[in-house]
Amino acid sequence: MQDAALRLKALMEELLGAPLPVRIRAWDGSEAGPPESPVLVVRNRRALRRLLWKPGELGMARAWVAGDLTVDGDLYAVLDVMAELVWERGEDARTLREALRDPEVRAAVWGLVRMAGPPLPPAPPREEVRRRSHLHTKRSDRQAISHHYDVGNDFYEIVLGPSMVYSCAYWDSPDGTLEDAQRDKLGLVARKLDLKPGMRLLDVGCGWGSMAIHAAREYGVSVVGVTLSQEQAAYARKRVAEEGLTDRIEIRVQDYRDVTDGPYDAISSIGMAEHVGSDRYLEYARDLFALLKPGGRLLNHQIGRRPWGNESAYEIDEFIDAYVFPDGELAPIGGTVSGLEAAGFEVRDVESIREHYGLTLRRWVANLEADWPTAVRLTSPGRARVWRLYMAASALAFERNRIGVNQVLAVKTPDTGTSGMPLRARSWR
């Protein structure tokens, strides 16, 4: 009798305490749930064992990465309806221990145990990082960056396209091209920093060299770009040489904490501060402050989360920490601004470009899906599934205002109070 989907739907609804907003297709071919809803495919019993041994987000992520759990149809639709139940319950979520006090929940759990089969826990997918230090030492940060970025430049070329910019683009229209939007973002950063010929720019977390090349080629500045990724650095140096800019751009494999050749006229930090960690943020801000000359500007482009009523209850996202950005931390924009001010900066402008990241991520997902077989060949099926899930889920998170991204322009204003800022600063737009 093919009834696994119906039984699974009833048990999951008991555990979640709400109707399941998706249709389930089980390993025996059975289906249950609203007929017009997106379909969540439970391909085998191992998916249940993953959920039982690690309830919640990480268990579902393991099942997805391993291929035990998949989606038939629109991935965004499934993620959107499941987000509130699984990924976005936040500080109000009921813990498993609290839930198990309910006899009906306990009965549902035992029902899942019987359906799942042999009780041994499946091994985590090999793509999972098993390190949980969160100390943000130079060594641990180097390992975390390597996990995320040293997966092959060819893979990132598929996802990012020719711009090779791995941060939020700046769109004039949703119908525009990714390349134009990324070029416009680099130009926006350069204008906010007021780059001029002869200036020295430090690009912290320089990636594959796109900001460094744009600044040197279009604005005539000299650039030092630092990254902890060997693969990024090699790729960036090759691009710099091909552009004929080796006399203006130096790409280093170096921790920002080890940069000692200031002062710089300007610093760009684009999508890097998320790796710093809350305990190290003031150190990060002070280090960049010390590297700037008086009157120098910092453009800090950083993803931020919504604040919690009880900030002490905040925990790092399990899926992102285990599979995407180990040790990455998001902070509310207020904390970012406060940290920069505590380091001595005068914060002059904060611009939210949240909607722009949703557009950017959807283009990256489309790029990945369009060349899926090649992406799998270049990395692994599990790694490709990680990137597809995290980028699609992140796109929805930006669109629903669960997270945001902000450009903070700060100045190392001297004691004279002369910031060098125009009276109408938004002229860079």
Side-chain angles (χ1 to χ4, degrees), residues 172-307:
D172 181 58
S173 163
D175 300 324
T177 69
L178 178 61
E179 296 312 303
D180 287 345
Q182 290 292 16
R183 182 201 62 226
D184 289 348
K185 189 275 298 298
L186 299 177
L188 177 67
V189 171
R191 292 191 298 277
K192 287 183 175 182
L193 291 173
D194 195 27
L195 297 183
K196 292 181 173 61
M199 292 175 64
R200 293 185 76 213
L201 169 68
L202 174 64
D203 188 26
V204 180
C206 66
W208 292 271
S210 298
M211 180 65 204
I213 290 170
H214 184 87
R217 185 182 60 210
E218 305 297 329
Y219 293 86
V221 302
S222 297
V223 188
V224 171
V226 296
T227 175
L228 295 178
S229 167
Q230 295 283 352
E231 290 195 22
Q232 281 186 336
Y235 191 98
R237 288 166 182 156
K238 183 174 182 293
R239 292 179 70 194
V240 168
E242 290 172 348
E243 291 279 347
L245 294 171
T246 53
D247 59 329
R248 293 188 191 172
I249 300 174
E250 178 187 1
I251 303 295
R252 304 174 184 168
V253 178
Q254 187 178 34
D255 193 293
Y256 73 92
R257 287 166 285 194
D258 293 330
V259 177
T260 59
D261 60 345
Y264 288 88
D265 298 284
I267 298 176
S268 54
S269 179
I270 306 172
M272 178 271 173
E274 297 89 339
H275 296 287
V276 170
S278 57
D279 291 342
R280 299 276 188 176
Y281 200 86
L282 183 56
E283 176 188 356
Y284 158 83
R286 284 173 173 163
D287 284 346
L288 299 191
F289 185 84
L291 286 167
L292 276 172
K293 74 172 189 180
R297 298 184 188 182
L298 164 70
L299 193 286
N300 189 80
H301 175 119
Q302 182 177 345
I303 298 171
R305 60 175 173 84
R306 302 294 298 168

Side-chain angles (χ1 to χ4, degrees), residues 18 30 35 77 86 106 134 160 180 196 259 267 288 311 385 427:
S30 61
V86 180
R106 289 200 300 273
H134 305 304
L160 305 180
D180 287 345
K196 292 181 173 61
V259 177
I267 298 176
L288 299 191
E311 279 291 317
R385 284 192 285 265
S427 58

